[in-house]
Each structure stands twice: as C-alpha cells, then as structure tokens.
Amino acid sequence: MKKIGLLPRLIIGLVVGILLGMSGIEIIIRLLGTFNSIFGNFLGFVIPLIIVGFVAAGIADLGKDAGKLLGVTVAIAYVSTVISGTFAYFVDTTIFQQLHLEDAAEMIKAAEANARSLSPLFTVDMPPIMGVMTALLIAFTLGIGAAVINSEVLKKGMQEFQAIVEKVISNIVIPFLPLHICGIFANMTYEGKTAAIMSVFVKVFIIIIILHAIIILFQYTIAGTIAGGNPIKLIKNMIPAYLTAIGTQSSAATIPVTLRQTKKNGVSDGVADFAIPLCATIHLSGSTITLTSCSLALMIIYGMPHGFATMFGFILMLGITMVAAPGVPGGAVMAALGLLGSMLGFNEELLSLMIALYLTQDSFGTACNVTGDGAIAVLVNKFAGNKLETKED
C-alpha cells in the first residue's frame, strides 16, 4: 500500500465505506465506528499539540531572517491569504445559492429524521491537555519570545517538538486516514446521508479550481503592474512550479523549482532566495480558498450559521494558524482543525468530512500557494529597489 498515493487510498476508502454502508452489515459498521471514535478522540488530543508545534516554531523561525524585507514579505503574504479567503467567501455565497445546496440540506434532515445510526462497541476518552485558544496563546508567546531574545536553545527545542508532531501526522494520522474515511462514509451511507454530500462534492471542487485560477491572475496582475512585468508572461514562467506542486503536494518540496522559475521571471537571486522559502511556510492563498469553500458548503448543507463576521474571523486566524504547516500532504487542514471546531462549531463528523474534502484536492491548493509565492517575490523585489531582469532559457 505504500506505493499507492494518498489520494487513491482515500478514494478507495471512500468507495469501500459506501459499499459497506449499503451492505447493512451492522457488526462491520460498528467496528469501523469504534475505530472512528478512537481515531477522532486522538485527533482531538493532538490538535493543540499541532498548533503549538507548527505556529511556535514558524514564528520563531521568522526571527532568523530578520531584516528590512521580512516585515514586508510577511505582511504581503498574510494580506494575500486573507484576500483569497475573503474573495472565496463572497463568490461562494453567491454561486452556492445557484447550486441548490438546500436540496442536500433537506436530504440530510430527512436522513437524520429516520436515522438508524449504530453506536461504537466502546470508546476511549483522550481529553486534550489544553484548549485551542490556550494552544494558540502559548504558541504566540513562545514563538515571539524566542525570536525576540534570540534563544537558540528554545528555538531548537520548538523545532524538535515540531518534528515530533510532523512524525505523528505522517506516521499515524495520514496512514490511518483512509480507514477513518472508510468508517465515516460507511456510517453516513448506513444513515442515508452520503448521496446528499456526494451531490455537492464535484460542483464545489470545480468552483475551487476556478477560484484558484482567478486569484493567481489577480496576484500577478498586481505584481506585474507594480513591478513593470507582463502578468501573463510571469504566470507562464511559473507553470513548471505549478505542475511540480500538483505532483509533490508540498510547498517545501517544490521550493527548488519555484526558486528557479522565480529567478527566470527576473527576480534578483538574493530576494528570491529569501522570499520563496519564507513564503513556502507562510503564504497559503490556495489552501485558504479551499478551506473556506469546503467549510462554507458543509455549513450551508447542515444549516449552520455562516455570516461574514464568523467566516472573516475564521479566515484571519487561518492565516496565522497555518504558518509552517508541514510538508506532508494535508498539513494545512490538520493545522486548521482546531479553528474549524472552536470557531465554526464543527463536530467530529464534519471535521472528518473536511479532511476528506480538502485532501482530495490538496495538490491544486498547494499549486496555487507556490505559484502565488512567485508573485510575492516579484513585489518584494520591487520594494527592495530592484528591477525585473527577465532571463531567457
């Protein structure tokens, strides 16, 4: 199974789960429900650890590259991320009305009214050691403190803790996700909810990909206008980075290609070498679009409040919480689980659906992220007083 990618395994888990749910074999569904209960509780336990591990180390690392352009780069990356999420919200609220998500909502309500859900065989409580906001405050305090006092010992400790958290995700959470998704869809199918959810999946994905394309065009239009470059040519040069990110599903793994193509766009070597690795950890415009769109779709389907004030606060926090999300597939959604639960009120089932929704198109979100990194580098290059010196092959 190691040779099979995560996406195919997730799809296999989803299909097998639906088939098992349709079979109505209660003992198998209850066994899967038992696993889901344990795995879901484990996720709840590690969410605060993920937040501390990612955010604290990410903020502390910013201090290493302290300089004139650090604040500018971080500010541009954050604004780009927030604009992307906000843009996605307004477009989604308009388009989702045309998709008749209320039909799916009615199907969900009908299924819940006739619910025949099965309880797990047993449960294992795994209470988290702290709440989400406490974890965020600790992460901010440790990260900013380590950067201010330049404590190499503390930074190293946080980096090692981050490495432990990344191992937990890559060696435990990610490998068991297909089985978790299998159990979720087996129970949902048994309860009669799957048809409603699946009817929305494809439409939402198409909208997300279109939003990615629009935000990339917007980023390069701004960058090209300010820096004096042709936006279309700049985007064309970044296509290799986009395609590489689709294959790797990791901004970090794509850095060499993103660097090469950014320099081809005429960005100075010094600015590119500084901005691209930094943006790979702090700029997540594509991921924010995906998380905003998927969460909004689920909230509409389940009849949850989704006003702009609620979603905008969520988007603002996403830009911070996803800092230094790991290079493993799904790092952004793992870092966002705490916010989805605390700010949007997602329960275990909705969190599991968000993981499934996000991971099925993670590669496209990552591709949008890294392509946007090149636009930020173009802007930073201009603010550094450099002109674009286009390099031909």
Side-chain angles (χ1 to χ4, degrees):
M1 289 294 286
K2 288 185 178 181
K3 294 182 180 180
I4 302 177
L6 177 60
L7 179 55
R9 281 184 284 145
L10 285 173
I11 294 174
I12 291 172
L14 188 151
V15 172
V16 171
I18 292 174
L19 293 176
L20 288 174
M22 292 172 62
S23 73
I25 304 175
E26 294 189 0
I27 184 61
I28 295 179
I29 298 174
R30 289 191 69 187
L31 284 171
L32 287 171
T34 302
F35 171 78
N36 285 346
S37 173
I38 296 173
F39 188 82
N41 287 341
F42 178 73
L43 273 181
F45 170 77
V46 300
I47 283 172
L49 304 182
I50 291 173
I51 291 173
V52 173
F54 291 174
V55 179
I59 293 175
D61 283 345
L62 296 182
K64 294 192 303 183
D65 299 310
K68 267 186 174 185
L69 297 180
L70 175 62
V72 172
T73 307
V74 172
I76 294 174
Y78 183 72
V79 169
S80 174
T81 299
V82 172
I83 287 176
S84 299
T86 306
F87 171 67
Y89 171 80
F90 284 113
V91 173
D92 290 340
T93 50
T94 301
I95 295 180
F96 286 176
Q97 292 178 7
Q98 310 302 319
L99 297 182
H100 302 294
L101 297 189
E102 63 275 6
D103 293 343
E106 290 300 322
M107 293 173 66
I108 290 287
K109 290 177 182 177
E112 290 177 342
N114 301 306
R116 47 173 188 162
S117 58
L118 299 173
S119 60
L121 298 173
F122 61 89
T123 59
V124 178
D125 290 332
M126 303 180 195
I129 60 176
M130 67 185 82
V132 171
M133 288 308 301
T134 301
L136 280 170
L137 289 172
I138 289 176
F140 292 157
T141 303
L142 289 176
I144 294 172
V148 169
I149 69 174
N150 196 28
S151 171
E152 294 301 325
V153 174
L154 186 56
K155 287 181 183 178
K156 184 177 180 181
M158 288 188 294
Q159 289 166 355
E160 290 179 348
F161 181 68
Q162 182 185 31
I164 292 173
V165 173
E166 289 181 354
K167 287 293 184 183
V168 171
I169 292 176
S170 60
N171 294 343
I172 299 177
V173 176
I174 296 296
F176 282 107
L177 269 180
L179 182 59
H180 186 50
I181 297 304
C182 176
I184 290 294
F185 275 89
N187 277 278
M188 285 178 55
T189 303
Y190 186 79
E191 295 172 0
K193 298 179 182 178
T194 298
I197 298 296
M198 294 299 290
S199 67
V200 176
F201 272 19
V202 175
K203 297 174 184 177
V204 172
F205 287 163
I206 293 173
I207 293 171
I208 288 172
I209 300 303
I210 293 174
L211 288 173
H212 286 167
I214 293 174
I215 207 67
I216 289 173
L217 181 60
F218 170 77
Q219 290 167 340
Y220 278 91
T221 298
I222 298 296
T225 300
I226 293 176
N230 184 317
I232 302 302
K233 288 184 178 179
L234 294 174
I235 293 174
K236 183 179 177 181
N237 284 337
M238 294 303 296
I239 289 176
Y242 184 92
L243 296 176
T244 302
I246 288 178
T248 63
Q249 293 183 279
S250 168
S251 296
T254 313
I255 284 176
V257 180
T258 311
L259 261 177
R260 185 188 67 200
Q261 298 308 119
T262 299
K263 291 177 180 179
K264 185 178 178 181
N265 270 338
V267 176
S268 70
D269 289 356
V271 171
D273 291 341
F274 161 77
I276 294 302
L278 176 60
C279 287
T281 63
I282 65 174
H283 181 234
L284 295 124
S285 55
S287 299
T288 303
I289 287 173
T290 304
L291 287 167
T292 301
S293 299
C294 291
S295 59
L296 185 59
L298 287 175
M299 291 168 78
I300 292 174
I301 290 173
Y302 279 82
M304 301 167 66
H306 52 274
F308 176 68
T310 299
M311 292 302 295
F312 188 60
F314 172 68
I315 292 166
L316 289 176
M317 290 303 296
L318 270 183
I320 299 173
T321 306
M322 293 190 299
V323 167
V328 298
V333 72
M334 292 302 167
L337 289 179
L339 297 181
L340 288 166
S342 63
M343 298 187 71
L344 301 187
F346 278 32
N347 57 24
E348 181 184 325
E349 180 179 289
L350 289 180
L351 289 177
S352 300
L353 282 173
M354 275 298 298
I355 294 173
L357 278 166
Y358 183 89
L359 290 179
T360 51
Q361 69 75 69
D362 183 29
S363 56
F364 292 97
T366 302
C368 180
N369 293 340
V370 301
T371 306
D373 293 348
I376 292 177
V378 170
L379 283 172
V380 174
N381 188 69
K382 175 65 177 179
F383 289 131
N386 302 321
K387 292 183 178 180
L388 293 179
E389 298 179 1
T390 307
K391 304 167 186 176
E392 302 295 336
D393 289 331

